[in-house]
């Protein structure tokens, strides 16, 4: 009898503990590593509504995670946006269009980054989140359709409002429902509200392109440092850490999508054009353009850290933000290189000389891209290589490699 009473008491205590843990999870949104492993990733319509859960916390050993299919679907629209932005710069090219080209690119990049960070920090596979995602995709598609069309600036602005509203609602609901994520999510919500105010004002000034472009630029200035605001205002215990493996995978995919425009420019079909001739010069230009794109991709992936601990995000906050802004700058420079490759291909097909501005764009964009790739390596390895423990011969080899890469 005593043994039976003891078993009943243990069963009752375990039930109470499980109930308490469930209640804690419901209020905080924090789940153990074992619970996270049992719940699959991905956007499955399993529930009509659920509280967004934190994907990782500071003391968690999170599992490796790659891009989900719905994140790759967002990338598909980004590829179309890159193509439209490249066409905007290529049509009637002039150097004064470069600033507007960079502005368009960063407006897309900012919203892509905000959604990427949401996915890497939070899990939400409910039907309601799917609705928010569809609205986000529709807004991004509207931006891609109208980008660069001066007569449809109001349409582009409204599409940005739709997209940013979806992001704002995602972060605001997370702040309301997940106690662990509340402080961090609220700061990003405030950032999105500021962006929406600027965009609403922009709808009034669509006829004045100067004021309109200034307001768009302010949106980028407000949004890009969104995590800097959080790190400056909150203690570490209230910040949401990143799943660094997932962020790295997403950033690498983003850069590869940008390079895809260079490949498209190199392999574009001109067979329907008048006087098109597939001569040796055409094939040589195509081969060299493809080789240039591949070489840039090879260098970018070669400078990635070989071990997880070497990543800039894991070394310090300062290195992490430096790496983040270098990647932001790398995107438009690579897309400009794709536009320059388009100029080379056109000059070869139509048998005319390239303009000085087009040649300058080619060498400047490739040069800036190589400098930024070098800075990516610096963000990971500066202060670690050459290592103080390396033999002198190894140090000389490493310094020589860095010198050659810099030149």
């Amino acid at each position: 009898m005593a043994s039976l009473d003891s078993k009943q008491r243990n069963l009752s205590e375990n039930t109470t503990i499980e109930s308490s843990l469930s209640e804690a999870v419901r209020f905080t949104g924090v789940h153990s590593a074992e619970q996270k492993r049992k719940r699959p990733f991905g956007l499955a319509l399993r529930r009509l509504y659920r509280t967004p859960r934190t994907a990782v916390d500071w003391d968690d050993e999170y599992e490796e995670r790659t891009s989900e299919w719905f994140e790759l679907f967002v990338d598909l629209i980004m590829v179309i946006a890159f193509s439209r932005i490249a066409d905007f710069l290529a049509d009637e090219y002039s150097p004064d269009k470069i600033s507007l080209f960079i502005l368009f690119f960063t407006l897309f990049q900012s919203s892509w980054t905000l959604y990427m960070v949401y996915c890497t920090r939070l899990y939400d596979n409910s039907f309601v989140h799917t609705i928010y995602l569809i609205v986000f995709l529709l807004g991004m598609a509207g931006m891609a359709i109208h980008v660069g069309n001066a007569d449809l600036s109001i349409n582009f602005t409204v599409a940005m409002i739709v997209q940013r509203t979806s992001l704002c609602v995602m972060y605001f609901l997370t702040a309301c429902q997940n106690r662990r994520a509340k402080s961090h999510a609220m700061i990003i919500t405030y950032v999105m509200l500021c962006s929406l105010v600027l965009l609403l004002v922009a709808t009034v000034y669509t006829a004045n392109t100067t004021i309109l472009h200034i307001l768009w630029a302010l949106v980028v200035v407000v949004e890009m440092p969104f995590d800097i605001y959080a790190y400056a205002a909150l203690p570490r215990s209230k910040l949401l850490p990143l799943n660094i493996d997932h962020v790295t995978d997403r950033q690498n995919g983003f850069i590869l999508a940008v390079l895809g425009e260079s490949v498209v420019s190199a392999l574009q079909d001109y067979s329907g054009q008048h006087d098109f001739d597939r001569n040796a010069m055409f094939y040589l230009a195509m081969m060299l353009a493809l080789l240039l794109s591949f070489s840039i991709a090879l260098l970018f992936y070669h400078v990635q850290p070989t071990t997880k601990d070497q990543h800039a995000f894991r070394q310090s906050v300062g290195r992490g933000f430096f790496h983040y802004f270098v990647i932001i700058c790398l995107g438009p420079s690579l897309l400009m290189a794709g536009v320059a490759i388009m100029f080379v291909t056109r000059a070869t097909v139509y048998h005319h000389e390239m303009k000085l501005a087009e040649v300058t764009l080619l060498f400047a964009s490739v040069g800036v891209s190589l400098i930024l790739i070098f800075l990516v390596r610096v963000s990971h390895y500066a202060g670690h290589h050459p290592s103080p423990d390396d033999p002198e011969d190894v140090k000389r080899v490493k310094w020589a490699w860095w010198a050659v890469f810099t030149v």
Side-chain angles (χ1 to χ4, degrees), residues 391-404:
E392 289 301 319
D393 292 341
V394 174
K395 287 183 179 180
R396 283 194 287 270
V397 170
K398 288 185 176 181
W399 280 119
W401 190 97
W402 281 69
V404 170

Side-chain angles (χ1 to χ4, degrees), residues 95-107:
D96 58 343
K97 293 177 69 175
I98 291 179
S99 58
L100 196 54
F101 165 89
I102 295 174
L103 176 59
F104 284 137
F105 186 96
T106 50
L107 284 169

Side-chain angles (χ1 to χ4, degrees), residues 240-380:
L240 291 176
L242 293 170
N243 184 321
I244 296 174
D245 298 330
H246 182 245
V247 172
T248 302
D249 181 68
R250 297 296 294 132
Q251 286 182 336
N252 292 348
F254 180 87
I255 294 300
L256 201 60
V258 177
L259 281 170
E261 179 59 29
S262 300
V263 177
V264 171
S265 299
L267 303 180
Q268 191 168 350
D269 184 16
Y270 291 92
S271 58
Q273 303 295 327
H274 180 64
D275 293 334
F276 173 72
D277 183 18
R278 285 190 173 88
N279 54 24
M281 188 61 67
F282 168 76
Y283 287 109
L284 178 62
M286 180 188 70
M287 180 184 67
L288 291 176
L290 188 62
L291 182 62
L292 175 63
S293 301
F294 180 80
S295 299
I296 292 174
L298 183 66
L299 283 173
F300 176 75
Y301 281 94
H302 179 71
V303 301
Q304 300 301 315
T306 54
T307 63
K308 292 182 178 181
D309 293 337
Q310 291 175 330
H311 198 286
F313 284 149
R314 285 191 169 90
Q315 296 186 46
S316 69
V317 175
R319 280 179 182 262
F321 281 121
F322 176 75
H323 176 79
Y324 167 71
F325 283 108
V326 170
I327 294 295
I328 286 176
C329 296
L330 182 60
S333 67
L334 289 176
L335 191 58
M336 276 191 275
V339 175
I341 289 174
M342 190 184 303
F343 291 147
V344 173
T345 307
R346 288 179 179 178
T348 305
V349 170
Y350 298 119
H351 308 289
H352 65 72
E353 293 185 359
M354 293 179 64
K355 299 177 182 178
L356 178 60
E358 296 173 348
V359 176
T360 303
L361 180 68
L362 174 63
F363 288 104
S365 59
V366 174
V368 170
S369 298
L370 291 176
I371 291 173
L372 291 170
I373 292 174
F374 174 72
L375 292 178
V376 170
R377 181 174 179 83
V378 168
S379 70
H380 296 306

Side-chain angles (χ1 to χ4, degrees), residues 116-334:
M116 179 270 291
V117 169
Y118 180 91
C119 290
T120 198
R121 285 176 167 153
L122 298 158
Y123 296 144
D124 189 356
N125 58 358
S126 66
F127 179 75
V128 172
H129 175 74
T130 306
I131 299 299
Y132 300 147
L133 175 58
I134 290 172
V135 174
F136 174 84
L137 292 172
L138 290 175
M140 181 174 282
M143 290 172 62
I145 291 172
H146 301 111
V147 64
N149 192 329
D151 297 330
L152 297 175
S153 296
I154 181 65
N155 300 43
F156 184 77
T157 305
V158 170
M160 280 196 288
I161 291 174
V162 171
Q163 185 192 54
R164 265 66 178 183
T165 300
S166 174
L167 285 170
C168 186
V169 172
M170 287 184 196
Y171 279 105
F172 177 70
L173 292 180
T174 299
C176 293
Q177 299 160 3
N178 187 322
R179 186 176 298 176
R180 172 65 183 86
K182 179 179 180 180
S183 299
H184 203 142
M186 272 312 297
I187 287 181
I188 300 180
T189 301
Y190 295 144
V191 171
M192 300 311 304
L193 288 174
C194 292
S195 297
L196 287 171
V197 169
L198 290 169
L199 291 172
L200 289 171
V201 174
T203 58
V204 181
Y205 291 98
T206 52
N208 189 328
T209 55
T210 301
I211 296 178
L212 180 64
H213 294 163
I214 290 174
L215 290 169
W216 286 351
L218 287 175
V219 170
V220 175
V221 171
V222 168
E223 289 181 351
M224 280 298 189
F226 64 95
D227 256 357
I228 293 181
Y229 308 140
Y231 273 81
L234 299 175
R236 185 175 185 269
S237 60
K238 292 186 177 296
L239 293 169
L240 291 176
L242 293 170
N243 184 321
I244 296 174
D245 298 330
H246 182 245
V247 172
T248 302
D249 181 68
R250 297 296 294 132
Q251 286 182 336
N252 292 348
F254 180 87
I255 294 300
L256 201 60
V258 177
L259 281 170
E261 179 59 29
S262 300
V263 177
V264 171
S265 299
L267 303 180
Q268 191 168 350
D269 184 16
Y270 291 92
S271 58
Q273 303 295 327
H274 180 64
D275 293 334
F276 173 72
D277 183 18
R278 285 190 173 88
N279 54 24
M281 188 61 67
F282 168 76
Y283 287 109
L284 178 62
M286 180 188 70
M287 180 184 67
L288 291 176
L290 188 62
L291 182 62
L292 175 63
S293 301
F294 180 80
S295 299
I296 292 174
L298 183 66
L299 283 173
F300 176 75
Y301 281 94
H302 179 71
V303 301
Q304 300 301 315
T306 54
T307 63
K308 292 182 178 181
D309 293 337
Q310 291 175 330
H311 198 286
F313 284 149
R314 285 191 169 90
Q315 296 186 46
S316 69
V317 175
R319 280 179 182 262
F321 281 121
F322 176 75
H323 176 79
Y324 167 71
F325 283 108
V326 170
I327 294 295
I328 286 176
C329 296
L330 182 60
S333 67
L334 289 176

Side-chain angles (χ1 to χ4, degrees), residues 20-42:
S20 300
L21 288 173
S22 300
E23 191 70 10
V25 166
R26 188 171 67 87
F27 279 104
T28 63
V30 178
H31 292 250
S32 67
E34 183 64 25
Q35 287 172 308
K36 291 170 186 175
R37 282 192 290 270
K38 289 179 179 179
R39 301 196 180 195
F41 298 129

